[in-house]
Amino acid sequence: MAEQLSQKQNFLKGIIKDNPVFVMLLGMCPTLGVTSTAYNGLGMGIATMFVLLMSNIVVSLVKSQIPGKVRIPAFIIVIASFVTIVEMVLEAFIPFLYEQLGIFIPLIVVNCLILGRAEAFASKNNLISSIVDALGMGIGFTIALTVLGASREILGSGSLFDFKMVPEDASTLILFILPPGAFIALAYLSVVFNKVSTKIN
Amino acid sequence: MEYVVILIAAVFVNNIVLSQFLGICPFLGVSSKVSTSVGMSGAVLFVMTIATLVTYLLYQFVLVPTGLDYLRTITFILVIASLVQMVEIILKKVSPALYQALGVFLPLITTNCAVLGVAILALGLENGSLLKAVFFAIANSIGFALALILFASIREQLELADLPEGMKGVPINLLVAGLLSLAFLGFTGLV
C-alpha cells in the first residue's frame, strides 16, 4: 500500500489527511496537557518529533531482526531509550521547558502516536519512507500542538509566545488556560480542521 | 486523615483524566458503552495498583541504591508492559466476553499514560511510603473509573441527540469532556 504512495504524499498525509491529533486522535494526553501556551506546545511537538524520527529509523533498520511475538516490547525499549535521552538533554539545556512539561516528558514513551507509527509503518517500510513518514507525522503533530497552544494562550492570557497583546489589566478568558479549556478549544479546532480538510479534498 | 485527603484529592480535585490529562486515549476510545467502560476501569484498577507496587519497590530498592535512577522510564514501562500481558492472558481465560469487548484497548493499557504517570507521580509523594504509594494508585484508578463511567453514560444519551453535522463525533465528545472537566473544577480548594 505504502509503496504506491509517492514520498510527497507520504509526507503530506501526516499533516492533513491523517493528522495525528485531529484525524487519528493519537497522543491526546500531551496534546491537552501541555498546551496552555504556544511555546510549551511547540517544545512538546519538537521533543515528540525527535523521538518519533529516531524510533522510526531504528525500527525500520532492525525490523527483520525482531521476532514477531516480542516486537511491541522491543519497540517500547527503543522508544524509551530515546525518551531518556530527550529527558536528560532538556533537563541540562532547557531547564525552563523541562519544568513546564514536567511529567509529560517521560510520558512521551507512552504516546500512542510513536508506538503506532513504529507498528503500523516503520516495521513494514524501508528507511527512507520511514524517515519521511516520521517527519510528516511529527510536523503534523507539532503544528496541531502549536496551534492549540497559541489559541489557548491568546484567549486565556491575551499573549502569544509570551508576547502580550492586550493591556496588563485586561480581563481574559481564564477558562482557556485551565483544564476544561483544553477540551473545549480542541473541540472547536477540530470542527474547523474538518471543515478545512473537506474543502481541500 | 492523610489518606482521606489523598483519596478526595485524587478522585475529585486533581482528577487524573479531567484535570491532569492522563489516560485520555482510553477515556475517548472505550467510552461509547457503559458496560465496556466498567470493564476498562476494572482492568486499569488492577494494572495500576500492581504496577505502582512493583515499580515503587524496584525504584527504592534497586534503582536508587545502584545509582541507576535515570533508567526509571525504561524499567517502569517494561514492568507495566509485562503486567498488561499477564492481565490479558488471565482475562482471556477467565472472561472471554469481557476480553472480546475490550478488544484492541487491552494491549493499549501499556500505552495508557495514566498507569505510567501514576507510577512516576507516586515516587514524588510527600513522606512517601509503600502503603501510601499503593493507596495513591488505588485512589487515582477510582478517579479514572469515575470519569470514564460518567463520560460513557453521557455519551450513551448523546447518540440520540440531534447535532449539527460538523459537531458529530469527536468534537462533541471533546466538548462534553470539557463540560465534565468544568464541573470537576468546582472541587478546587476542597482539600
Side-chain angles (χ1 to χ4, degrees), chain B residues 71-112:
Chain B
L71 288 180
R72 181 191 66 185
T73 312
I74 300 189
T75 36
F76 280 22
I77 193 69
L78 272 182
V79 169
I80 293 169
S82 346
L83 274 173
V84 170
Q85 203 95 75
M86 200 179 82
V87 172
E88 198 182 345
I89 295 170
I90 295 174
L91 208 59
K92 204 172 185 174
K93 186 82 185 165
V94 179
S95 167
L98 191 60
Y99 180 78
Q100 284 290 322
L102 295 180
V104 66
F105 278 94
L106 202 62
L108 283 184
I109 292 189
T110 315
T111 51
N112 178 345

Side-chain angles (χ1 to χ4, degrees), chain A residues 4 10 15 42 46 53 73 84 92 108 113 119 127 143 184:
Chain A
Q4 291 145 14
N10 187 13
I15 298 175
L42 185 64
I46 291 173
L53 179 63
T84 308
I108 296 176
L113 169 64
E119 163 77 3
L127 180 62
I143 291 177
I184 296 171

